[in-house]
Amino acid sequence: MEFDETYKEYFRPIYIFVYRLIGDQNSAMDITQETFVKLHNYMNGPNSLENPKAWLYRVAANMSNNHLKRNSTFNRIIKDIQTNSQYDNVESDLINIERKALIRKALKKLSSKDRTMLQLYQDGFSYAEIAEIVNIKKTAVGKTLSRAIEKCAKYIER
Amino acid sequence: MKCLSREIIFDYINRELSEDNMKKIKNHLGSCKQCHDIFHHANIQIQRVKAGLDLLSPETIPEMSFCLPQKTKKASQGIISRVFKQRLKLSIEFSWVKAFVFTLLILIFISIFSLRKDREISEEDLQRLLMVADIFYEEDHKVDWNGKELVIVIFDQEKNTLELVRTNMHEGKTSSVQFKVGDENSHLGI
């Protein structure tokens, strides 16, 4: 698959995936661009790429998690949301903001790997694909996901 | 059939089991209330989490720019090229930019060097200093200027000693060493 085709096909999904992981539009755009820069360089290098989709998601997930570690964006976003919610008068917006804050808090309780797996699951990836991207055994995917969902759901339900 | 674990039920919901196992579990869920309750609860949890994750999706998605590969190829050449290409958007060849930057750096270096020279002691000041030294040291002496230091060597005939006074004109430091003529331990070896 040529770079242009890959770019056209995966730009949007990768951007959404990264955005959901880090919750910041500018950083999500930067990470998405950087992911494709890496892909371009990789494709121009001596190595062949069998599964660009898995490769892209793996690089994007790693970069997003590194970004979160560096900037602790989660804390900032939650703080922003909490601050905004104090002054927001529109009821529906307020509910959405609170829900978003809650789901982000719930995600924060998970490890970066579990968080990534959950986002991939949300994007409809199969166990085999998730295992390839996150680099774990396929047999461990269901168990990990099930626990992550249960943990997340319990936090949301509180 | 034994009751099912939560993980198996989860795999069943996600259709990640073999066809045979899917059928077996379907049958079991139809007959076991306890497992069916777990199945029902797990389904609700999945839907709830998925709905929550959906909320985190961006409201707008920025447009794609297909010039990315070309840009990145140039940009990957280095920081200077990235700055010139992306910030200043120069259309000239990068080799010319390189040459220009190189020349500019040389000019800056030369001007700094010449400024430093200007800051060094002037000829007029030097003559004044040498004159003061001549007046101050009445004994036999020799005054020398090496561009950095004013060196005065004073010979005392009575004591048979040499005194070396060195003044760094830039740092304003003066050091003095005195030794007997013919002393083998002298660090100057005189």
Side-chain angles (χ1 to χ4, degrees), chain B residues 2 10 17 31 34 41 53 56 75 79 99 103 116 168 171:
Chain B
K2 273 203 307 185
F10 186 78
L17 298 168
S31 60
Q34 198 182 337
H41 185 63
L53 291 174
L56 302 183
I79 295 166
T103 316
R116 272 183 66 87
N168 189 314
E171 294 171 12

Side-chain angles (χ1 to χ4, degrees), chain A residues 3 7-8 11 15 19-20 25 29 33 37 40 96 99-100 103 121-122 127 142 146 149-150 157, chain B residues 6-7 10-11 14 16 46 48 50 53-58 60-62 64-66 68-69 72:
Chain A
F3 175 80
Y7 190 80
K8 273 180 199 170
F11 176 83
Y15 174 79
Y19 180 89
R20 281 209 308 259
Q25 208 170 358
M29 191 60 196
Q33 296 275 11
V37 169
H40 182 259
N96 262 347
R99 273 185 189 161
K100 278 183 190 176
I103 191 84
Y121 175 70
Q122 170 79 353
Y127 283 11
S146 151
I149 286 179
E150 193 175 14
E157 285 162 8
Chain B
R6 208 191 117 83
E7 283 77 31
F10 186 78
D11 291 347
N14 294 314
E16 288 279 355
I46 289 169
R48 200 162 282 173
K50 277 193 163 187
L53 291 174
D54 232 15
L55 274 177
L56 302 183
S57 296
T60 54
I61 297 166
M64 295 183 282
S65 57
F66 283 105
L68 178 70
T72 55

Side-chain angles (χ1 to χ4, degrees), chain B:
Chain B
M1 192 181 186
K2 273 203 307 185
C3 273
L4 308 165
S5 69
R6 208 191 117 83
E7 283 77 31
I8 293 287
I9 292 173
F10 186 78
D11 291 347
Y12 171 78
I13 294 168
N14 294 314
R15 301 180 181 279
E16 288 279 355
L17 298 168
S18 65
E19 254 183 61
D20 194 34
N21 281 337
M22 288 290 286
K23 275 180 192 169
K24 279 181 190 170
I25 288 165
K26 191 180 177 184
N27 290 337
H28 181 77
L29 288 173
S31 60
C32 178
K33 192 186 175 303
Q34 198 182 337
C35 287
H36 190 270
D37 285 349
I38 295 170
F39 166 76
H40 182 66
H41 185 63
N43 243 332
I44 291 171
Q45 282 189 332
I46 289 169
Q47 295 314 315
R48 200 162 282 173
V49 171
K50 277 193 163 187
L53 291 174
D54 232 15
L55 274 177
L56 302 183
S57 296
E59 284 162 17
T60 54
I61 297 166
E63 295 215 352
M64 295 183 282
S65 57
F66 283 105
C67 53
L68 178 70
Q70 284 76 33
K71 269 189 180 175
T72 55
K73 198 176 178 183
K74 285 278 178 191
S76 62
Q77 285 172 353
I79 295 166
I80 295 172
S81 66
R82 192 178 290 199
V83 168
F84 277 101
K85 183 80 182 161
Q86 294 185 351
R87 300 283 166 89
L88 300 178
K89 294 186 188 300
L90 290 180
S91 57
I92 53 173
E93 281 292 314
F94 182 67
S95 56
W96 286 104
V97 178
K98 255 185 188 172
F100 174 73
V101 171
F102 184 68
T103 316
L104 197 69
L105 284 172
I106 286 177
L107 285 172
I108 290 167
F109 180 75
I110 289 169
S111 58
I112 289 170
F113 186 73
S114 54
L115 276 174
R116 272 183 66 87
K117 259 199 146 181
D118 288 343
R119 275 190 212 133
E120 282 177 13
I121 191 161
S122 67
E123 191 59 35
E124 194 186 337
D125 285 341
L126 177 66
Q127 291 306 322
R128 212 174 287 160
L129 274 167
L130 293 176
M131 208 166 73
V132 170
D134 275 338
I135 294 164
F136 191 73
Y137 298 101
E138 290 172 348
E139 299 89 344
D140 288 342
H141 66 274
K142 192 174 186 293
V143 180
D144 195 18
W145 168 252
N146 65 3
K148 204 175 175 184
E149 283 180 318
L150 185 69
V151 184
I152 304 163
V153 184
I154 306 144
F155 179 52
D156 191 331
Q157 279 186 323
E158 278 181 26
K159 293 176 186 171
N160 199 28
T161 56
L162 276 176
E163 190 177 5
L164 185 70
V165 183
R166 302 165 79 175
T167 307
N168 189 314
M169 301 311 293
H170 296 300
E171 294 171 12
K173 287 179 185 171
T174 302
S175 62
S176 167
V177 188
Q178 201 176 42
F179 45 87
K180 282 201 167 185
V181 177
D183 186 354
E184 284 179 7
N185 294 326
S186 160
H187 66 281
L188 291 175
I190 298 171

